Amino acid sequence: MTMLNDYNPEFMNLALKTASKVDLDIPVCAIIVQDKKIISIETNKKEKENIAVYHAEILSIIEANKKLKNWRLNNCDMYVTLEPCPMCAWAIISSRIKNLYFASYDYKYGAFSGAFNINSFSDYKINVKGGLMEDEGNNLIKNYFKNMRQQNEKILR
């Protein structure tokens, strides 16, 4: 594996800013970059569209595949605000993304070291760096669930 020299905090900032605007879904944004240019940027749409697999990472991969007319994203990097779940992690590996950068660790479902490391199950290994702008990512998730609890309390009153 190569070193993660290509990390650009501007892309993580954009992902965090975009995720903060998500209203119904868990605030996650995934950006795919090739040659320092954004190829795709997507947020979670599972609740909005009522489709279980509409996670930001999956949607971003689909958009990048369409734009590049290739299922292989060998020379692409992904920036995501939350460590990918197993479904998204396998899609990332399967699409041959080169580098994955994420903000918050997900110690319950994270598949790149938070809960377990899916890289160990694959012959193709991607470069992974987590905990980038972690406080900002953690605050997004905490505030989302805090707001959800407050809304549920109002409904129950």
Side-chain angles (χ1 to χ4, degrees):
M1 285 197 268
T2 60
M3 298 302 289
L4 295 161
N5 297 339
D6 298 329
Y7 173 71
N8 184 332
E10 289 178 26
F11 294 125
M12 189 62 77
N13 272 320
L14 178 59
L16 290 162
K17 183 178 177 181
T18 304
S20 72
K21 296 175 184 173
V22 173
D23 51 357
L24 289 175
D25 286 273
I26 294 175
V28 176
C29 176
I31 298 175
I32 296 179
V33 175
Q34 183 183 57
D35 299 325
K36 300 180 183 175
K37 293 180 190 138
I38 294 174
I39 303 299
S40 65
I41 180 168
E42 292 287 344
T43 60
N44 278 359
K45 292 184 174 80
K46 179 177 160 181
E47 296 292 337
K48 183 179 178 182
E49 301 293 335
N50 283 310
I51 298 177
V53 298
Y54 272 23
H55 290 204
E57 300 93 328
I58 300 289
L59 293 170
S60 195
I61 288 168
I62 291 168
E63 182 64 23
N65 293 149
K66 287 178 183 178
K67 282 188 180 171
L68 298 175
K69 295 180 172 71
N70 197 334
W71 68 265
R72 291 177 184 89
L73 302 175
N74 299 63
N75 297 315
C76 295
D77 300 331
M78 180 181 278
Y79 292 76
V80 65
T81 55
L82 180 64
E83 180 180 4
C85 71
M87 174 183 70
C88 293
W90 199 255
I92 291 165
I93 288 171
S94 295
S95 67
R96 306 295 193 257
I97 284 177
K98 181 179 176 184
N99 298 308
L100 170 69
Y101 306 105
F102 64 86
S104 297
Y105 284 90
D106 184 343
Y107 295 107
K108 190 169 185 179
Y109 300 112
F112 283 107
S113 71
F116 70 100
N117 190 347
I118 203 164
N119 244 347
S120 64
F121 296 98
S122 174
D123 291 334
Y124 181 83
K125 308 289 187 217
I126 67 169
N127 303 305
V128 179
K129 178 69 176 161
L132 302 162
M133 303 181 87
E134 187 173 17
D135 289 341
E136 294 89 334
N138 288 345
N139 286 335
L140 263 179
I141 299 298
K142 285 178 192 174
N143 289 334
Y144 170 80
F145 284 108
K146 180 181 174 184
N147 290 338
M148 290 296 290
R149 282 190 299 276
Q150 288 172 348
Q151 287 176 9
N152 287 338
E153 287 173 9
K154 287 179 186 176
I155 292 169
L156 294 174
R157 287 185 195 157

